[in-house]
Amino acid sequence: MSVPKGEVRPTTDRVREALFSILHPLIKHADVLDLFTGSGAFGLEALSRGARTARMVDASRASCTTAKANLSKTGLEGGTVIQGDAVQFVKRELTAGRKYDVVFADPPYCKGPLDRDFVVELVEAGVAGLLKDDGVFIAEVQEGWGTGSEDSAGFDGLRLVDTRRYGKNMLLFYRLPKE
């Protein structure tokens, strides 16, 4: 699989394998949204494991070109690559009324107090509204700042149900609150 040079920090194979082991019961026939897709690895893996659709979004033209090429090489069906800002895309999807079984976000890490925390921005944009009733929102963050700090992982409208650590990287799993 090709990766755009210098622009992306792909999820490691180890983390992706662990993630898909966790998601195994959800992926078959799932509608997947992959935000900050980079090379498209998450969306492509989901399709290869039986997802019905995978919409892969990235602001970078180079990332989208690479993700499209990777999608073409695999011959997998149901994948769409969209160039655009992930936060704005979430807002448009809400307006369109689209829902997903799995929403995965692997944004640039918040590494200091002046960095954007894209996970917070996605939550504020309404990412919870894109989840089907049993859907899951997964954010990959780096331990330390922003959403990656112990006291900042919770959000109104989403319930943190699991946290997995892989070195300094963390996968945060959110679901809609039970009524």
Side-chain angles (χ1 to χ4, degrees):
M1 176 172 312
S2 298
V3 176
K5 299 252 186 281
E7 286 192 19
V8 298
R9 170 206 29 80
T11 300
T12 65
D13 291 340
R14 176 179 163 243
V15 173
R16 198 169 50 252
E17 274 299 315
L19 176 56
F20 277 97
S21 290
I22 295 165
L23 292 178
H24 176 70
L26 293 174
I27 287 297
K28 195 85 167 158
H29 307 295
D31 294 309
V32 174
L33 178 58
D34 178 7
L35 299 169
F36 305 94
T37 196
S39 66
F42 180 85
L44 295 171
E45 184 81 18
L47 289 170
S48 75
R49 292 177 182 245
R52 178 181 23 243
T53 63
R55 293 171 64 96
M56 299 169 262
V57 180
D58 204 291
S60 163
R61 180 175 306 204
S63 289
C64 288
T65 298
T66 301
K68 285 177 184 177
N70 288 335
L71 179 61
S72 179
K73 281 182 207 171
T74 66
L76 293 167
E77 294 188 15
T80 308
V81 179
I82 301 141
Q83 185 178 349
D85 178 88
V87 174
Q88 294 306 314
F89 184 82
V90 165
K91 292 176 182 178
R92 285 193 303 275
E93 292 293 271
L94 280 170
T95 301
R98 289 198 179 88
K99 300 279 187 178
Y100 296 91
D101 299 288
V102 177
V103 176
F104 177 70
D106 184 10
Y109 291 154
C110 181
K111 294 181 177 181
L114 301 178
D115 287 348
R116 289 176 71 182
D117 189 337
F118 287 101
V119 176
V120 170
E121 291 183 35
L122 291 170
V123 171
E124 289 173 350
V127 73
L130 298 181
L131 294 177
K132 293 181 182 178
D133 288 342
D134 290 330
V136 61
F137 169 52
I138 304 133
E140 183 172 342
V141 299
Q142 187 174 53
E143 194 169 14
W145 292 95
T147 307
S149 65
E150 286 297 326
D151 58 345
S152 296
F155 298 107
D156 288 339
L158 286 170
R159 183 172 48 101
L160 181 64
V161 295
D162 197 0
T163 301
R164 301 289 174 108
R165 284 177 171 55
Y166 303 92
K168 289 188 174 203
N169 295 353
M170 296 168 46
L171 292 175
L172 306 174
F173 295 79
Y174 296 93
R175 291 195 179 262
L176 297 172
K178 297 287 184 199
E179 296 180 18

